[in-house]
Amino acid sequence: MSRSEFTKRWDKINGFSMAEAIEKKAAVDEAHGVGQPNSKWAPAEIVPDESKTTGFKVVIATI
C-alpha cells in the first residue's frame, strides 16, 4: 500500500488550518484521480498533524 502525506513543511509549529486542509484535500483528490474509474487511490483524509503543535495534514493511500 502506498501512502502520501501533505503537511506545511515550511512551518515547524503549525499544520494546515481546517480551511487550508479542505482546499489541500480537494487538490490532492483531483491530482490522484480519486473517483475516476481507474483510480487506485482512496479519498484523502484530513488528520491532526502530530508533528506540529497545532493543525492538520492531508493523507492519501491506495485502495
Side-chain angles (χ1 to χ4, degrees), residues 11-53:
D11 190 332
K12 296 186 186 312
I13 298 171
N14 303 301
F16 292 121
S17 68
M18 183 53 78
E20 291 170 326
I22 290 169
E23 288 179 17
K24 187 66 167 180
K25 178 190 179 319
V28 168
D29 282 345
E30 182 178 348
H32 286 81
V34 171
Q36 299 299 317
N38 296 329
S39 179
K40 305 247 190 265
W41 295 92
E45 297 178 349
I46 298 171
V47 298
D49 192 339
E50 65 280 346
S51 67
K52 311 285 184 179
T53 303

